[in-house]
Amino acid sequence: MFVANNKLLFIDLSTEKIKVQNIDEDLMKKYIGGPGIGWKLASEYIRPHLDPLHPESPIIISVGVLVGTLFPGSSKISAIHKSPVLATKDGKHFIDESTSGGRYFGPMLKAAGYDHLIITGKAERPVYIRINDEEVVISNAGDLWERGVEEVTDRFWKEKPNYGVIAIGKAGEKKVSYAMAVVDKTHSLGRAGLGAVMGSKNLKAIVVWGSKGIKIADPDRFKEISNKIKKRVLAWPFREQWLKLGMGAGWSTFKHTQYPGKWPKDKWERLYGEEKRLERADRIIACASCLIGCRIKWKIKEGEYAGEVGYGSPFGKSATSGQLLDVEDIDKMLHMVIVANAYGIDFYTATRLIDYVTTLYQQGRLTEKETGGLKLERTYETYMKLLEMIANREGFGEVLADGWVRLERDFNLDPQEYWYGGICKGVDFIYDARASRFHPLMMTFFTRPRPHHGGSHTITNTLGRTLDEIKENAIRMGIPSDAITRIFTDTPYSPKFNVGRYTKWMEDFMRVKNATGVCSMYTMFGLIDGIDIAEAYSAATGLKIDATELLRCGERISNLAKLLNVREGFTRTEDAPPETWFRPMDSPEGRIELMDYFGIKVLTKADVLKILGDYYEERGWDKKLGIPTRQKVMELELPDLGMSLI
Amino acid sequence: MTKALLMDPTKCRGCRRCELACSFAKEGEFDYQLSRIHVVIPSDFTYPVQIVCQHCDVPLCLFACPVNAITKNNENGAVILDAEKCIGCLSCYIACPLGGISLHPVKKLPIKCDLCGGDPQCVAECPYEALVFVELTESLYPKKLESVEFTFKEFGKLLFARGA
């Protein structure tokens, strides 16, 4: 087969059994490839109701079909597994996919001859997996255990500078439910707690190197399409700013759309604005084949942490969490990101939990009785102490390491009262829909709670697009005309375009991007659309397919992923929009309420629920239960996973 | 005046499009190993080392070759390896102090940059102007020397990466 290997490398850490399996090429016609087929494997390998940290809970890592080629931004891998983040008080866990770019891991796994990696079982002692083409070795990781992510990654890079490396830090080893797995030092498979799953398997790292090439069905055509997109991207007016700041670009928008509402905006600007970012951004790093580059190497130049460097994308997270925690020194927050990255812990979840409990302590609602004698003062020193305690599951950190729902369960606190972002299925959102407005990505937060780590971004993520632009882009995504009519029908609860209906297609498009390995940065800025991906996929694989048919496959993948979660007990009840959004944000800049994309109307909870209902309707699902119908499952030729659907 | 490859590691972001472009142009597939140019990104992400034939004025590979398979084109300055004449002794590979000659991983024969007949594909695919193909004017000459010096130094370090 062209482009794809259609091979699965299966590793059982308990028995040390390693085998390579061929995957039926025809599956590409139904599931595109990469994590599309990954979900098919998930339906075979993930057993229902198994604890996410049970040895037999598998990790499925898949590489997008176009990864390793010159197609712009094609670097993405996805990890599918059951998330250790507790989603509900009665113990449900969501099965989800996190995605990551990188310079090496994706291209190297593919060059080693595999598209998928399934890891199951539990090693008796700390190990790492080393893959060099056909040679797969499970080795002792005793000397790497307890070491930080960067140190571990560097160790492998000393052996071979282009090893693909996925590593966990202490948080993963200690099974902190929101621990990340870090890819090639600068990227993460985050939010869904892959780090903890690796930790539960005693798996410190996976390193991979491969020597094989990738053949293209129609090389000339592929080059032509790639060149067309390259020309478009190089002419993109915002590219210059991205070349300077990577993901830290766009402060002028960021300061409004990700505003936590505590400080006046000019204060925030002074402490965390573009000037501060420019002084600290040292290098901008690109993923394999990327024309833009968004990762940042940053350097702290002065003060207590002078000389420290970090890798990733620190500016957004340090700015929002800095304001939430009332830390006025950006370098302190950048230092906190460096520490969190070494632990391999999700910075958003950790800092927001810390913000929550320290505030409750200040209000007298949490006392030393609950914290085990710990004084939770609102100081930087306490924040750093708590971060360390979480990563080590020490004292009160043990409770925080299990996230929001554990707090609810143990102390009868309602996470829905937390003031920024919003929480659904136990996961906190990185943006708040009141500041960002209710654009479609916000909706994917509560239908599938890790979208910013799932690549669903489309041009609607940026405010200020005209209705015509959105419509034109939706057509080029491949959305069929009848759905276009439905989406762009004005309703009293979703003015000008129906966010619920749009979201359905946006999620299916996300599946297309992840399956092909195309980065959503490009679709967020309208630089790559469905037609481009379909043309590139057809030229590369030799399978002729158009954008609409790709979306149909995307729909199939979305439904299969949903079915796996329905089997875990997830229904409409768990797709509840966060209460936070319906409480106006009283900021020094005035009152900020939840509004629609165009800022025409204040949205009530009833409005959002109607939008959610339209989402289910557009999906052809049962509106009351919020789950696929038997008819939908048959139409998509999916297995019913032993459930009797209506 | 001849055109020359000019590298600017300070602009390189490590996307490695140059490598894929090279292997695609020369071998018809995307294979980092088959590229004539290699980019090594240091673990602390300072400047990537771009390793490729510099088409030297004094090509040591040419002098090393026992069968005159390597020639220098006096018009465009390109140092060209004639695969037909090559006997695979790897003298050129050993002679180059800049790592400008690669080894075909399967055939174990030397492969090297030929500037794609005046339209180097690595340059065409570099989105960051980290690789350009320009007339080597007097004013640009010091830049060329600087980049070669950088590669020479960094390439040397790479040989000792394990102990670094």
Side-chain angles (χ1 to χ4, degrees), chain A residues 175-219:
Chain A
K175 303 183 264 295
V176 173
S177 67
Y178 41 93
M180 330 178 274
V182 178
V183 182
D184 297 341
K185 199 161 155 177
T186 47
H187 291 69
S188 63
L189 290 160
R191 306 252 79 192
L194 177 61
V197 183
M198 283 176 66
S200 74
K201 299 189 174 314
N202 266 331
L203 178 59
K204 180 70 178 176
I206 310 164
V207 297
V208 59
W209 184 86
S211 68
K212 297 175 187 66
I214 296 171
K215 290 191 175 66
I216 298 292
D218 186 345

Side-chain angles (χ1 to χ4, degrees), chain A residues 68-70 103-104 154 158 185 211 213-214 216 223 227 230 239 243 283-284 286 289-292 297 311, chain B residues 10 12-13 15-17 20 24 29-31 33 41 43-45 47-48 121 124-125 127-128 161 164:
Chain A
T69 75
L70 263 185
R103 282 160 307 290
Y104 309 122
D154 282 349
K158 265 181 193 169
K185 199 161 155 177
S211 68
I214 296 171
I216 298 292
K223 191 79 193 285
N227 280 345
K230 188 177 70 188
R239 187 168 176 267
L243 292 181
R283 298 277 299 153
I284 304 301
S289 295
C290 184
L291 300 164
I292 303 171
K297 174 192 181 183
Y311 307 90
Chain B
T10 66
C12 177
R13 311 243 160 149
C15 72
R16 301 173 79 198
R17 289 181 71 86
L20 292 180
F24 201 51
E29 58 184 286
F30 295 115
D31 186 336
Q33 286 220 94
I41 308 163
S43 60
D44 67 354
F45 298 94
Y47 309 126
Q121 289 305 296
E125 284 298 341
Y128 303 110

